[in-house]
Amino acid sequence: MNKAYSMVAAFSLVMGSILLLPVLNIAYAQYSGQPGSATLEEQLTLAKEKITNAQQQGAYGSGTAMFGTNLDNTVLMIIIITVIIGGVAAAFFIAGGSTKKKKTLVVGADGTSTSGKFCTNCGTQVGDGQKFCGNCGTKA
C-alpha cells in the first residue's frame, strides 16, 4: 500500500476515535444509575416545569443553549471541521499547482527530434519567445 494512503487511513482512524469516544460516553450516561442523580419523580417534575415555561408567552426555542455550558465542545468541533476542510483544500491546492507545462516533441522523417512551436502556414520552427514566423510572417 502506498505510504500516503497509509497515513490518511491512520489519520482517519485517530480522528474517528477522538470523535466517537465522547459520543459513546454521552449515549450511555442515562444508563449509569450513579448515586446522587435525580429520581424518576424529580425528572418528571422538572419536565413538567419545562413544558409550562415553554408554553408561556415569549418563550421561543428549544431551551438548549448553543453557547452555554457546551461552549468548549462547540469550539472544539468548529476547530476540527476547519482543520479537516483546510487540509483537503490544501491538498487540492498543492495537487493543482504541481502540473508542469508540456513541451511539444516532433520527430522528423530522418529521426531527428525537435521541440518547440512551428508555423501553421509554412511549417518552419518558431522560437519560444517569438509571436510571428520569421519566414512567412504568420502569427505562431
Side-chain angles (χ1 to χ4, degrees):
M1 182 178 265
N2 195 348
K3 185 177 180 180
Y5 290 130
S6 300
M7 291 176 63
V8 169
F11 179 75
S12 299
L13 288 173
V14 168
M15 290 305 295
S17 63
I18 288 172
L19 295 174
L20 185 63
L21 291 177
V23 172
L24 290 177
N25 288 335
I26 293 171
Y28 290 114
Q30 62 182 339
Y31 301 114
S32 64
Q34 297 174 353
S37 61
T39 63
L40 182 61
E41 290 80 16
E42 292 172 348
Q43 290 180 1
L44 288 174
T45 305
L46 290 173
K48 288 178 184 177
E49 289 177 14
K50 287 180 184 179
I51 290 173
T52 55
N53 288 339
Q55 290 174 344
Q56 290 178 358
Q57 184 69 22
Y60 301 108
S62 66
T64 304
M66 177 70 174
F67 295 109
T69 59
N70 294 330
L71 181 62
D72 55 344
N73 291 339
T74 304
V75 171
L76 181 65
M77 292 304 286
I78 290 172
I79 291 171
I80 289 172
I81 290 170
T82 304
V83 167
I84 291 172
I85 292 175
V88 170
F92 279 119
F93 181 74
I94 291 169
S98 66
T99 58
K100 296 179 182 177
K101 187 176 179 182
K102 297 179 181 178
K103 290 188 174 184
T104 308
L105 179 66
V106 178
V107 178
D110 58 352
T112 59
S113 62
T114 57
S115 61
K117 293 182 178 179
F118 292 90
C119 178
T120 57
N121 189 26
C122 64
T124 58
Q125 188 172 5
V126 179
D128 288 331
Q130 296 179 340
K131 292 185 179 181
F132 298 98
C133 176
N135 189 22
C136 66
T138 306
K139 186 175 181 180

